[in-house]
Amino acid sequence: MSAQHDLAERFLQIADLLEIRGENPFRIRAYRRAAESLERFGGDLAALASAGRLRELAGVGSDLAQRIEEYLTTGRLAMLEDLAQRAPRGVFDLLAVPGVGPKTVRLLTERLKIGSVRELERAITAGRLRRLPGFQAKKEQNLLKGIAVVTKGRERMTLDVALALADELVAFLKRVPGATRVSPAGSLRRMRETIGDLDLLVASARPQRVMKAFTTSRWAGRILAAGTTKASIVTADGLQVDLRVVEPAAYGAALQYFTGSKEHNVRLRELAARRGLKLNEYGVFRGTRRLASREEAEVYRAVGLPWIPPEIREDAGELDAAQAGRLPHLVEAADIRGDFHIHTTYSDGHDGLEQVVDAGRARGYRHIAICDHSQSLRVAHGMSVARIREQMARIRALNGRFRGFRVLLGSEVDILEDGRLDYPNAVLADLDFVVASVHSGLRQDRATLTRRIVRAMQNPYVTVVGHPTGRRIGLREPYALDLEAVIRAAHDTSTALELNASPDRLDLSDAAARRARDAGVMLAIGTDTHRIAHYAHMRLGLGLARRAWVGPSQLLNCQTTGDLLAWIRRKRQAAGAARRS
Ligand code: DGT
Ligand code: CA
Ligand code: CA
Ligand code: ZN
């Protein structure tokens, strides 16, 4: 972003702050006019200034020319800083609310001592705005809507939304001439379950071009900040995106820094310091000599460590593991051989069995388990015994057509309130793969719910417990559950726990999955596909598994069809043997 654009924005802020203070209207207008002609000026502002010709800009007199010069030489405007200091703390946030201009802020601050968006919201709810001239119910409602718009931008977005936006923006930025490397950074690169704002990094020798392309792109609904190497925008949907542009020689160091987590970076810097090195976003330094900066792996190597995968950079033991040469071997996309939790129109899925199966084959899987809902779950069109028998016959017929690909006969069977399953064992025994899930009685007390799930795991035909804690991100807390007891029982009964990859579930969570992993429990990513597009949520499941330090040997998805079926058979035979003895 150009100096004049940045400066124009500051002039508009000065004008707003002057107006809030009730200053001379002519002076206020002068700043607005100057901002306008700065915006329109297409030339080199610094050159104009050094030629002493700033006053050729429409509306710029000697006073304003001085301010421009101050900004060009110091990068600051003392007057703006001074005004901002004397204004209420939240003044710019208030001004960002649609429907709130300087005149409104003046009324709000003077009459009601409102200095922040939160205070405004409270005042409206309490009916205190009615006392002000010109504030009818209609205007109050509009203000509340406006507040919702600006505060919504601050909520965290789910990972799927952030990934879709990041994919679009990365593709767009890669096409900008002069952008040599582009990557997401921040929590998205670490694949956290929710994302506060999206961070993007670009290497380019021509940062202005990248900045301009970004801030004028169709995603830039609002521009929060636009400098020469960093910019922040908010999309029309209220999603914030931060962009940094760095020189190619510093790309690796910047990527390391802006990927975070902050806690990981703090520990890494300490480690570097103990080796007499300095680490920052520009590189690893000994004294003034730069040892590494271009590649992220070089940065880690310079402080004596192997490269650490972004998903585990959370200061959760990864630095000790790296130092000891014991970094976990994490699962990768290429390791995935199948997906297990898939619905069709037989229950509440959107797409028909054949389409769903074809889409699974097209992904290159060796097997998928079709797991429609069981009879009790009426809201999801759970299948009667007759109907699942019919589905099984149809799947067997389909399987006759495939080589190197198999549709596993499966079901997502409800765990009834007492821990029994929603189909008799005679039906379950004919299935290859059984996901057992809690969908009712979520309010049972902790001991009852825990006993219920443990009892389900003791059933020899249960392969995996689906979405084990029942949480819905932003909607519903996990049910009261003794997770340690569930993990222990999973281990003892050779039952897998699901990593449900649905974006609003991600259940087990990363932390819970890590505990299960540490306890040696088998895990299974299930996309909980209800329409073909949901197969893509495997990417979220992979991110979750990697954040939990999970490798291919502990993930059912990575086994060959033969090994998978053998693993399932072992639990059934062990249980059978136990009953006989
Ligand atoms: P978010 O946006 O809340 O989902 O989480 P992050 O991790 O993306 O955080 P964000 O966007 O504030 O910053 C992106 C990265 O930049 C962060 O992961 C690490 C780095 N970073 C930001 N501020 C600091 C800081 O004060 N110190 C250090 N060491 N790193 C920082
Ligand atoms: Ca971020
Ligand atoms: Ca950020
Ligand atoms: Zn379910």
Side-chain angles (χ1 to χ4, degrees):
M1 183 58 50
S2 61
Q4 50 262 45
H5 192 91
D6 193 23
L7 189 53
E9 251 177 42
R10 293 178 196 224
F11 277 4
L12 289 177
Q13 289 182 325
I14 288 178
D16 285 350
L17 292 177
L18 289 173
E19 192 173 352
I20 290 168
R21 293 168 58 83
E23 305 245 352
N24 181 342
F26 290 100
R27 205 166 160 226
I28 298 165
R29 260 190 65 73
Y31 277 94
R32 297 223 165 98
R33 279 192 61 203
E36 216 173 288
S37 55
L38 278 168
E39 284 283 21
R40 247 187 262 127
F41 175 64
D44 183 346
L45 195 63
L48 199 70
S50 47
R53 289 168 48 202
L54 283 174
R55 281 197 251 170
E56 288 178 19
L57 293 169
V60 174
S62 64
D63 213 339
L64 282 160
Q66 256 181 33
R67 304 258 178 257
I68 297 175
E69 259 157 6
E70 178 197 0
Y71 174 78
L72 288 173
T73 46
T74 66
R76 300 172 46 190
L77 283 177
M79 180 187 179
L80 175 58
E81 290 171 14
D82 194 48
L83 282 170
Q85 181 131 46
R86 285 185 286 158
R89 216 172 358 92
V91 68
F92 291 117
D93 288 347
L94 279 171
L95 285 168
V97 175
V100 176
K103 286 195 184 65
T104 310
V105 174
R106 183 175 161 77
L107 268 176
L108 296 174
T109 47
E110 286 207 335
R111 303 276 197 93
L112 300 176
K113 306 272 172 265
I114 288 170
S116 70
V117 175
R118 182 174 295 250
E119 284 167 14
L120 174 59
E121 187 168 21
R122 256 189 255 131
I124 297 171
T125 323
R128 286 167 56 215
L129 257 58
R130 304 270 166 88
R131 289 184 232 149
L132 300 177
F135 277 81
Q136 301 88 356
K138 182 94 188 328
K139 170 136 186 170
E140 289 184 348
Q141 286 315 306
N142 285 338
L143 282 179
L144 281 178
K145 271 190 219 147
I147 290 170
V149 168
V150 289
T151 50
K152 186 160 176 285
R154 299 203 194 99
E155 276 170 18
R156 299 181 68 82
M157 50 188 135
T158 51
L159 183 55
D160 59 327
V161 171
L163 281 170
L165 178 61
D167 286 350
E168 285 181 14
L169 276 163
V170 166
F172 168 78
L173 289 167
K174 279 185 172 160
R175 287 196 304 270
V176 176
T180 51
R181 299 171 83 176
V182 182
S183 173
S187 51
L188 182 96
R189 186 163 179 246
R190 304 198 312 279
M191 294 290 277
R192 267 194 68 178
E193 63 193 27
T194 61
I195 306 297
D197 60 24
L198 186 57
D199 301 284
L200 300 172
L201 182 69
V202 171
S204 176
R206 298 158 80 185
Q208 295 90 334
R209 276 186 93 160
V210 180
M211 280 299 153
K212 178 126 198 261
F214 180 66
T215 52
T216 58
S217 71
R218 66 185 171 88
W219 293 276
R222 254 190 320 141
I223 299 174
L224 298 181
T228 48
T229 60
K230 54 179 179 177
S232 294
I233 61 164
V234 179
T235 68
D237 298 335
L239 310 176
Q240 184 178 329
V241 186
D242 293 348
L243 173 71
R244 299 258 175 175
V245 185
V246 299
E247 48 153 356
Y251 181 74
L255 185 57
Q256 196 290 317
Y257 182 88
F258 291 112
T259 295
S261 67
K262 203 166 152 181
E263 293 72 19
H264 172 89
N265 288 355
V266 168
R267 286 281 324 274
L268 189 65
R269 264 202 308 277
E270 286 168 6
L271 226 141
R274 265 184 264 132
R275 293 164 183 257
L277 303 170
K278 187 171 146 51
L279 169 69
N280 60 30
E281 63 193 276
Y282 303 104
V284 183
F285 300 84
R286 186 181 301 283
T288 55
R289 202 162 72 83
R290 183 149 84 171
L291 304 182
S293 62
R294 186 175 289 271
E295 300 298 331
E296 198 178 51
E298 290 168 10
V299 169
Y300 280 100
R301 199 181 315 136
V303 296
L305 297 177
W307 181 79
I308 299 176
E311 294 92 338
I312 63 170
R313 297 183 195 169
E314 298 289 351
D315 189 22
E318 75 280 7
L319 285 160
D320 291 337
Q323 274 184 292
R326 274 199 250 284
L327 276 178
H329 171 52
L330 302 182
V331 59
E332 288 170 20
D335 298 326
I336 300 294
R337 290 188 156 100
D339 188 353
F340 303 125
H341 188 156
I342 298 162
H343 297 273
T344 72
T345 46
Y346 268 91
S347 61
D348 61 348
H350 177 268
D351 300 310
L353 177 66
E354 276 83 1
Q355 287 166 281
V356 170
V357 166
D358 284 345
R361 282 180 76 204
R363 288 183 69 85
Y365 289 146
R366 310 315 299 263
H367 48 256
I368 57 170
I370 297 294
C371 293
D372 276 306
H373 287 291
S374 62
Q375 51 195 354
S376 290
L377 202 60
R378 301 245 160 67
V379 289
H381 309 288
M383 297 183 293
S384 65
V385 170
R387 195 153 158 76
I388 191 175
R389 290 259 179 231
E390 184 225 309
Q391 188 190 39
M392 286 158 71
R394 217 165 124 204
I395 290 174
R396 284 197 192 96
L398 273 179
N399 272 332
R401 305 213 307 251
F402 305 135
R403 310 189 97 246
F405 176 79
R406 178 161 164 185
V407 184
L408 303 177
L409 308 176
S411 173
E412 182 178 13
V413 184
D414 264 50
I415 301 175
L416 302 177
E417 303 215 358
D418 59 1
R420 281 181 306 117
L421 294 178
D422 194 24
Y423 287 131
N425 280 358
V427 172
L428 300 180
D430 289 338
L431 296 170
D432 300 312
F433 196 102
V434 175
V435 178
S437 303
V438 168
H439 290 122
S440 61
L442 310 184
R443 282 175 210 285
Q444 287 176 329
D445 66 64
R446 182 176 144 113
T448 308
L449 238 161
T450 304
R451 223 180 307 118
R452 176 179 172 193
I453 293 179
V454 168
R455 184 167 171 208
M457 284 191 279
Q458 286 162 348
N459 182 303
Y461 300 107
V462 170
T463 315
V464 49
V465 176
H467 41 77
T469 77
R471 69 133 172 203
R472 303 284 297 275
I473 295 171
L475 297 173
R476 190 169 76 205
E477 292 297 305
Y479 9 88
L481 194 64
D482 181 350
L483 192 64
E484 294 312 317
V486 170
I487 287 172
R488 230 178 302 121
H491 179 266
D492 295 345
T493 60
S494 296
T495 309
L497 296 179
E498 185 175 58
L499 305 182
N500 189 293
S502 191
D504 71 344
R505 286 197 186 268
L506 295 176
D507 180 10
L508 301 173
S509 68
D510 48 14
R514 173 89 184 270
R515 274 146 68 192
R517 176 249 186 215
D518 290 346
V521 168
M522 218 26 147
L523 299 163
I525 301 174
T527 55
D528 209 344
T529 283
H530 282 77
R531 51 175 68 230
I532 283 169
H534 294 169
Y535 272 121
H537 292 148
M538 182 55 72
R539 186 178 176 193
L540 280 73
L542 268 167
L544 168 57
R546 287 170 64 85
R547 288 181 61 79
W549 295 43
V550 173
S553 64
Q554 220 167 332
L555 211 50
L556 284 185
N557 309 70
C558 303
Q559 300 194 341
T560 62
T561 311
D563 286 349
L564 171 68
L565 293 173
W567 187 83
I568 293 168
R569 211 177 308 119
R570 271 199 299 280
K571 172 178 178 180
R572 296 181 177 193
Q573 284 168 350
R579 257 201 313 277
R580 276 192 301 276
S581 67

